[in-house]
Coordinates of all heavy atoms in Angstrom, one line a residue:
I65 N 2.8 -11.3 6.2 CA 3.0 -12.1 4.9 C 4.1 -11.5 4.0 O 4.1 -10.3 3.9 CB 1.6 -12.0 4.1 CG1 0.6 -12.6 4.9 CG2 1.7 -12.6 2.8 CD1 -0.8 -12.4 4.4
H66 N 5.1 -12.3 3.8 CA 6.3 -11.7 3.1 C 6.9 -12.6 2.0 O 8.0 -12.4 1.6 CB 7.4 -11.2 4.2 CG 7.9 -12.5 4.9 ND1 9.0 -13.2 4.5 CD2 7.4 -13.1 6.1 CE1 9.2 -14.2 5.5 NE2 8.3 -14.2 6.3
T67 N 6.1 -13.6 1.6 CA 6.6 -14.4 0.5 C 5.3 -14.6 -0.5 O 4.3 -14.5 -0.1 CB 7.0 -15.7 0.8 OG1 5.8 -16.5 1.4 CG2 8.2 -15.8 2.0
I68 N 5.7 -14.9 -1.7 CA 4.7 -15.1 -2.8 C 3.7 -16.3 -2.3 O 2.5 -16.2 -2.4 CB 5.2 -15.4 -4.1 CG1 5.9 -14.1 -4.7 CG2 4.3 -16.0 -5.1 CD1 6.7 -14.3 -6.0
A69 N 4.4 -17.3 -1.7 CA 3.5 -18.5 -1.4 C 2.6 -18.1 -0.3 O 1.4 -18.6 -0.3 CB 4.5 -19.7 -0.9
Q70 N 3.0 -17.3 0.7 CA 2.1 -16.8 1.8 C 1.0 -15.8 1.3 O -0.1 -15.8 1.8 CB 2.8 -16.1 2.9 CG 3.8 -16.9 3.6 CD 4.7 -16.1 4.5 OE1 5.1 -14.9 4.2 NE2 5.2 -16.7 5.6
A71 N 1.2 -15.2 0.2 CA 0.2 -14.2 -0.3 C -0.8 -14.8 -1.3 O -1.9 -14.3 -1.4 CB 1.0 -13.1 -1.1
E72 N -0.4 -15.8 -1.8 CA -1.4 -16.6 -2.9 C -2.6 -16.9 -2.4 O -3.6 -16.6 -3.1 CB -0.7 -17.8 -3.4 CG -1.4 -18.5 -4.6 CD -2.5 -19.4 -4.1 OE1 -2.5 -19.9 -3.0 OE2 -3.6 -19.4 -4.8
P73 N -2.9 -17.4 -1.1 CA -4.2 -17.7 -0.7 C -5.1 -16.4 -0.3 O -6.3 -16.7 0.0 CB -3.9 -18.5 0.6 CG -2.6 -18.9 0.6 CD -1.9 -17.9 -0.2
I74 N -4.6 -15.2 -0.5 CA -5.5 -14.1 0.0 C -6.7 -14.0 -0.8 O -7.8 -13.8 0.0 CB -4.5 -12.9 -0.2 CG1 -3.5 -12.7 0.9 CG2 -5.5 -11.5 -0.3 CD1 -2.6 -11.6 0.6
G75 N -6.7 -14.2 -2.0 CA -8.0 -14.2 -2.8 C -8.9 -15.4 -2.6 O -10.1 -15.3 -2.2
P76 N -8.3 -16.7 -2.7 CA -9.1 -17.8 -2.6 C -9.9 -18.0 -1.2 O -10.9 -18.4 -1.0 CB -8.2 -19.0 -2.8 CG -7.1 -18.3 -3.7 CD -7.0 -17.0 -3.3
K77 N -9.1 -17.5 -0.1 CA -9.6 -17.6 1.2 C -10.3 -16.3 1.6 O -10.9 -16.2 2.6 CB -8.6 -17.7 2.2 CG -7.8 -19.1 2.1 CD -6.9 -19.3 3.2 CE -6.3 -20.7 3.1 NZ -5.3 -20.9 4.2
R78 N -10.4 -15.3 0.6 CA -11.2 -14.1 0.9 C -10.7 -13.4 2.2 O -11.6 -13.2 3.1 CB -12.7 -14.1 0.8 CG -13.2 -14.5 -0.6 CD -14.6 -14.5 -0.7 NE -15.1 -14.9 -2.1 CZ -15.3 -14.1 -3.0 NH1 -15.2 -12.8 -2.8 NH2 -15.6 -14.4 -4.2
M79 N -9.5 -13.3 2.4 CA -8.9 -12.8 3.7 C -9.2 -11.4 4.0 O -9.2 -11.1 5.3 CB -7.4 -13.1 3.6 CG -7.0 -14.6 3.6 SD -5.2 -14.9 3.4 CE -4.5 -14.1 4.9
F80 N -9.3 -10.6 3.0 CA -9.4 -9.1 3.3 C -10.6 -8.5 2.5 O -11.0 -8.9 1.5 CB -8.3 -8.3 2.9 CG -6.9 -9.0 3.4 CD1 -5.9 -9.4 2.6 CD2 -6.7 -9.2 4.8 CE1 -4.8 -9.8 3.1 CE2 -5.6 -9.7 5.3 CZ -4.6 -10.1 4.5
D81 N -11.2 -7.5 3.2 CA -12.2 -6.7 2.6 C -11.6 -5.7 1.6 O -12.1 -5.3 0.5 CB -13.0 -5.8 3.5 CG -13.7 -6.7 4.5 OD1 -14.4 -7.7 4.1 OD2 -13.7 -6.4 5.7
V82 N -10.2 -5.1 2.0 CA -9.6 -4.2 1.2 C -8.1 -4.5 1.4 O -7.7 -4.9 2.4 CB -10.0 -2.8 1.5 CG1 -9.7 -2.5 3.1 CG2 -9.3 -1.8 0.6
L83 N -7.4 -4.3 0.2 CA -5.9 -4.4 0.3 C -5.4 -3.0 0.1 O -5.7 -2.3 -0.8 CB -5.3 -5.4 -0.9 CG -4.0 -5.7 -0.7 CD1 -3.6 -6.6 0.4 CD2 -3.4 -6.3 -2.0
I84 N -4.5 -2.5 1.0 CA -3.9 -1.2 1.0 C -2.4 -1.5 0.7 O -1.8 -2.2 1.3 CB -4.2 -0.5 2.3 CG1 -5.7 -0.3 2.6 CG2 -3.2 0.9 2.2 CD1 -5.8 0.3 4.0
I85 N -1.9 -0.7 -0.4 CA -0.4 -0.8 -0.6 C 0.0 0.7 -0.4 O -0.2 1.6 -1.4 CB -0.3 -1.3 -2.1 CG1 -0.8 -2.5 -2.3 CG2 1.4 -1.3 -2.3 CD1 -0.7 -3.0 -3.8

Side-chain angles (χ1 to χ4, degrees):
I65 295 171
H66 61 93
T67 67
I68 290 173
Q70 292 169 331
E72 186 278 327
I74 288 172
K77 291 185 177 181
R78 295 187 180 268
M79 292 173 61
F80 309 124
D81 300 314
V82 61
L83 188 76
I84 299 169
I85 307 173

